[in-house]
Amino acid sequence: MSAVVSELPCVQAQMPEHDSLDSVLRHWNGTDDLWVFAYGSLIWRPGFAWQERRITTVKGYHRSLCLWSHHHRGSRETPGLVFGLDRGGCCRGVAFRVAAADVPVAFAALWEREMIDGAYTPRWLNCHGDAGCVSGLVFVLNRGCANYAGELTEESRMAAIRTAVGRSGACLEYVVETDKALRANGIEDCRLGALVRRLAPAC
């Protein structure tokens, strides 16, 4: 663990859609550690090296099962649903601090995982927590993408979650594990918890 952490200023900075990784890191000096905000499967399966984790809140967006998944948690024939940060409200999640030396590899892995179909827009957003505020990379929903699910009936949502399976596993597992990870970190998502209880017979 490094003793000194140089944090990016806590300011709101919006980026253009479909930015490249190089563009997202254009202001990084190469020596400061960087933060990544997790609100879904990144909480329980980050897939990159990290030095510290904090419970933080991002304002202006809420966690929602609002994206069709044809790769990780579904297929073209039977699409699943994955989380996005949609407009409005706030979202409590986990901010991971990535050591400067690990940033190139960690962020490249994040790009390969999150930016495969234009579903997310990368932004540096304020992540507020008990230890203060840090500027973290957040993958927010791109409503203009082809996979935006929009408003679904409860029956359609439940059917997709129960039946879809992708290269990363079942959609049901994804939803249940995210709920478990949130509760393990003391984060209450009432809507997600209620959904998982309705899915219980299939778990």
Side-chain angles (χ1 to χ4, degrees):
M1 301 280 183
S2 56
V4 178
V5 181
S6 178
E7 296 177 352
L8 292 175
C10 187
V11 294
Q12 209 82 349
Q14 185 168 316
M15 298 182 191
E17 292 184 1
H18 312 305
D19 243 339
S20 69
L21 176 55
D22 286 343
S23 181
V24 165
L25 294 176
R26 66 187 179 276
H27 297 305
W28 179 50
N29 61 15
T31 60
D32 288 344
D33 295 353
L34 297 180
W35 293 84
V36 176
F37 180 74
Y39 55 87
S41 62
L42 283 179
I43 296 175
W44 49 274
R45 198 188 67 180
F48 55 84
W50 52 273
Q51 300 297 307
E52 179 187 356
R53 64 201 308 279
R54 297 181 186 177
I55 306 303
T56 59
T57 299
V58 167
K59 299 177 181 179
Y61 300 90
H62 66 280
R63 181 173 25 247
S64 176
L65 281 164
C66 57
L67 285 168
W68 292 115
S69 174
H70 303 102
H71 302 286
H72 289 296
R73 297 293 173 172
S75 65
R76 289 292 172 189
E77 297 75 21
T78 310
L81 287 167
V82 293
F83 291 103
L85 281 188
D86 207 351
R87 297 193 298 259
C90 62
C91 179
R92 196 161 164 80
V94 177
F96 291 98
R97 177 168 62 85
V98 180
D102 295 325
V103 164
V105 171
F107 277 53
L110 281 168
W111 240 247
E112 184 176 353
R113 176 172 170 172
E114 304 294 337
M115 298 293 286
I116 59 174
D117 53 14
Y120 301 112
T121 299
R123 294 180 180 174
W124 292 105
L125 299 177
N126 296 343
C127 302
H128 304 270
D130 292 341
C133 176
V134 296
S135 181
L137 181 66
V138 186
F139 293 95
V140 303
L141 171 68
N142 170 22
R143 277 197 171 191
C145 75
N147 291 338
Y148 179 52
E151 293 296 326
L152 294 174
T153 64
E154 192 69 5
E155 293 76 15
S156 297
R157 181 179 290 106
M158 299 274 282
I161 294 170
R162 284 184 170 130
T163 59
V165 179
R167 66 190 186 196
S168 295
C171 184
L172 179 61
E173 175 201 33
Y174 167 83
V175 173
V176 171
E177 290 300 318
T178 299
D179 177 62
K180 286 181 181 177
L182 290 171
R183 288 189 285 108
N185 284 281
I187 300 171
E188 183 178 4
D189 186 319
C190 295
R191 291 183 63 185
L192 178 56
L195 175 63
V196 170
R197 286 192 293 273
R198 290 194 292 273
L199 290 165
C203 297

